[in-house]
Amino acid sequence: MKRTFATICAVFLLLIGNGAFLPRPVTAQTPSYLRVVKEGVVLYRTPVSHYDFALFLLPNSYYLRTVEKEGSYYLVEYQDGEEGFPKIYGYVECAALSDEYQTPSAPLFPKEVLTVIKSTYVYTQASENADLLATALDGQTVRLYGKFYSKNGERLFYYVRFGQVMGYLPAENCTAPSGAPHPDAILTPSVDLPVQGELNPAPSPGSPVTVSPSQRDVLQIVLVIAVTLSILVIVYAMFRPKRPTPRFFEDEEE
């Protein structure tokens, strides 16, 4: 019987060690859409937040289609390949986007066509010292993707599609975009996060107390262990060897 009890204990410890009784973590699914809900969100060529890898600033209030998540970045699709706006792909920091808008209204992306008002070059970077891609003449049109500033922050460029090339055009050499926001309203955050370093306020009397997912997991683990130990005690009581009945011997008569 002792061997049976020891076997049961060994199996139990093995299951605990392998996490058999622990709640399984839920893998978050990648959202289908992400929304730009603030100014200054950058689309990068690679998942590195550096000026040299930036493409342009994404237009506020519009959407992106999600391809996949890579670490702290989302690989996203911008534009839809229609009306002369080919799709492009890039990376955006996860913290810079909102995933609370999964039923967006059309259009997902702004489609603005600008007119060149002064003959100019299209550059490979947001700088007039960069390599030239093409020459846009007065009266020709370009398709706008986003804006970007020179490295010193003094000049504004537009990242555009012109003919078969995509590059940067000085903003003062073409008409200004309308900048119309997306028709979907931007909601206030669903959860008010506490300021870093500040404790959550104590709940008011009578208010419901919520348990965070981490606290709930701990409670589940404690409950599972308590129930399992109770079962082990019952099993041990059922199979515990009985003590031998003491035998009493009468003294032999002399």
PDB file of all heavy atoms in Angstrom, residues 47 229 242:
ATOM      1  N   PRO A  47      11.188  46.906 -38.909  1.00  0.00           N
ATOM      2  CA  PRO A  47      10.737  47.085 -37.531  1.00  0.00           C
ATOM      3  C   PRO A  47      11.798  47.718 -36.631  1.00  0.00           C
ATOM      4  O   PRO A  47      12.237  47.140 -35.634  1.00  0.00           O
ATOM      5  CB  PRO A  47      10.388  45.653 -37.088  1.00  0.00           C
ATOM      6  CG  PRO A  47      11.249  44.783 -37.924  1.00  0.00           C
ATOM      7  CD  PRO A  47      11.374  45.472 -39.246  1.00  0.00           C
ATOM      8  N   LEU A 229      -5.159  17.953  -3.166  1.00  0.00           N
ATOM      9  CA  LEU A 229      -4.666  17.462  -1.881  1.00  0.00           C
ATOM     10  C   LEU A 229      -5.763  16.753  -1.106  1.00  0.00           C
ATOM     11  O   LEU A 229      -5.525  15.738  -0.445  1.00  0.00           O
ATOM     12  CB  LEU A 229      -4.084  18.623  -1.075  1.00  0.00           C
ATOM     13  CG  LEU A 229      -2.767  19.218  -1.600  1.00  0.00           C
ATOM     14  CD1 LEU A 229      -2.342  20.414  -0.756  1.00  0.00           C
ATOM     15  CD2 LEU A 229      -1.669  18.168  -1.599  1.00  0.00           C
ATOM     16  N   LYS A 242      -4.181  -1.274   7.502  1.00  0.00           N
ATOM     17  CA  LYS A 242      -4.706  -1.297   8.865  1.00  0.00           C
ATOM     18  C   LYS A 242      -3.620  -1.742   9.839  1.00  0.00           C
ATOM     19  O   LYS A 242      -2.775  -2.576   9.528  1.00  0.00           O
ATOM     20  CB  LYS A 242      -5.886  -2.253   8.957  1.00  0.00           C
ATOM     21  CG  LYS A 242      -7.075  -1.815   8.114  1.00  0.00           C
ATOM     22  CD  LYS A 242      -8.225  -2.791   8.283  1.00  0.00           C
ATOM     23  CE  LYS A 242      -9.434  -2.337   7.470  1.00  0.00           C
ATOM     24  NZ  LYS A 242     -10.570  -3.283   7.616  1.00  0.00           N
TER      25      LYS A 242
END
